[in-house]
Amino acid sequence: MKFYVIGISDNPLPFFPPEVLEVIRNGNVFSGGKRHHEIVKSLLPKDAEWIDITVPLDAVFEQYHNEVVVFASGDPLFFGFANTIRRKMPDAEIVIYPTFNSLQLLANRLVMPYHDMRVVSLTGRPWPEFDRALIERVGKIGVLTDKEHTPASIAQRMIDYGYTNYQMHVGEHLGNPELEKVTTLSLEKASQRDYTMPNCVILDFVRHQTLAIATKPFGIPDSEFTHLDGREKMITKMPIRLLTLQALVLPEKKVFWDIGSCTGSISIEARLQFPHLHIDAFEIRPECEAIINENARRFGAPGITVHMGDFLKTDIASLPRPDAVFIGGHGGKLKEIMKKVLAVMADGGVIVFNSVVAPKVQTDSQKLWDEACEELGLKQDAPIHIQLNDNHPITILKCRRMRLSESRVMIT
């Protein structure tokens, strides 16, 4: 198979160099989106076969044969269809004729240098990489949009989580001399408007404005959280929280589960310090849902997925496999929770649990922990004992699921 992939803008009268025109004249099978077809159909041979690129893509690729001329937006290697071809047909020969991508066009219209711009695609993708850019306080963010992730919804998300010291530049129908429109506006105004497709966005800092959350804290003071029933003692204390995150080895992990998240303090601290993580928070008390969401907005921590209900009854089959788990509450079901976690945990994953040494507590949670680790074949690290002021002593317990190579060594 051989593919010629030709990049075009939204211009209804595209200009192609002689080499590209020769490829089009000699082509038999052509492909692209419906919008691309409208732009180039007058240039195609009379007997040309056109294959619309629609989902599911497998059905599209089944129609391809011999040589195909594909029209794509902008640079086909910039989140474009050439990457899809490489993934679907790695042995195919690909010849690319690129043009400016939409974000390059927008930056040029704004006379804005873009070498320092981080690009995030929300086209058919969820929010995590965009959220990460916000949490990391990236100064200039280029965003590829779609019908769900519109400039208005992007602006509203930024307002909701306090990232308000950006201005938004929106480019619509870039390259089309009749329909092209470039607008610069505040996030508040951007959230209240409708936009025509296709469009893209560049966000950049407004230097003279103050961010609603001015700095990314390292250790959020306990008193700043909204608490369950106003009880500050229900929260994992800040120094314990940071030690817990250290024990979880989160810089090298991908998926973090916070079981018994209560006010969300552990999840929020993890999200702010390690924004690359996918985070799922589980909580049984229904009143905590609003508290977690309020705290996440207060501290600028978008992207935490909250699951309400009994963890032991929650369907986790479709969730990403965790490689780091914190158990903040267990309701006497510690062994059962650990067993359920272990069934889906990635090799080398870690579980951390903070055991409170309280004289009046009848159940010895550390004993339950030790028994569960032994029964489930989990390898324990040395515990960390700590006491803050007049609070009960706490033992930070950590175990990990051994990798297959480690298990073989032990068996040998």
Side-chain angles (χ1 to χ4, degrees), residues 13-42:
L13 299 173
F15 169 80
F16 295 120
E19 181 182 359
V20 175
L21 290 174
E22 185 69 16
V23 169
I24 296 172
R25 279 195 294 266
N26 293 330
N28 294 307
V29 180
F30 298 84
S31 190
K34 294 183 183 297
R35 181 172 61 87
H36 301 139
H37 192 200
E38 289 298 315
I39 292 173
V40 303
K41 63 182 180 181
S42 62

Side-chain angles (χ1 to χ4, degrees), residues 188-230:
E188 183 177 0
K189 290 182 179 178
S191 69
Q192 298 168 359
R193 289 189 50 183
D194 293 324
Y195 306 86
T196 57
M197 294 290 292
N199 60 60
C200 64
V201 164
I202 294 178
L203 299 158
D204 68 325
F205 274 136
V206 181
R207 303 294 174 183
H208 64 273
Q209 287 189 8
T210 301
L211 190 61
I213 32 174
T215 59
K216 185 170 72 170
F218 181 70
I220 304 169
D222 304 336
S223 60
E224 294 187 13
F225 284 93
T226 295
H227 302 100
L228 178 62
D229 299 328

Side-chain angles (χ1 to χ4, degrees), residues 78-136:
F78 183 78
F79 297 97
F81 196 70
N83 298 318
T84 304
I85 296 172
R86 293 184 66 190
R87 187 176 67 253
K88 295 279 190 181
M89 305 183 73
D91 296 328
E93 181 183 353
I94 305 174
V95 180
I96 294 176
Y97 300 98
T99 189
F100 283 115
N101 65 60
S102 59
L103 288 172
Q104 288 176 315
L105 284 173
L106 179 54
N108 278 276
R109 299 293 188 268
L110 297 167
V111 195
M112 175 188 289
Y114 59 88
H115 59 274
D116 57 345
M117 180 170 66
R118 183 185 295 186
V119 177
V120 175
S121 177
L122 292 176
T123 306
R125 294 173 170 88
W127 291 106
E129 285 304 311
F130 178 73
D131 293 340
R132 178 178 182 176
L134 293 181
I135 294 170
E136 292 178 350

Side-chain angles (χ1 to χ4, degrees), residues 300-319:
I304 298 170
T305 304
V306 181
H307 306 269
M308 301 306 300
D310 186 344
F311 175 76
L312 292 174
K313 297 179 181 178
T314 300
D315 183 5
I316 59 173
S318 61
L319 300 181

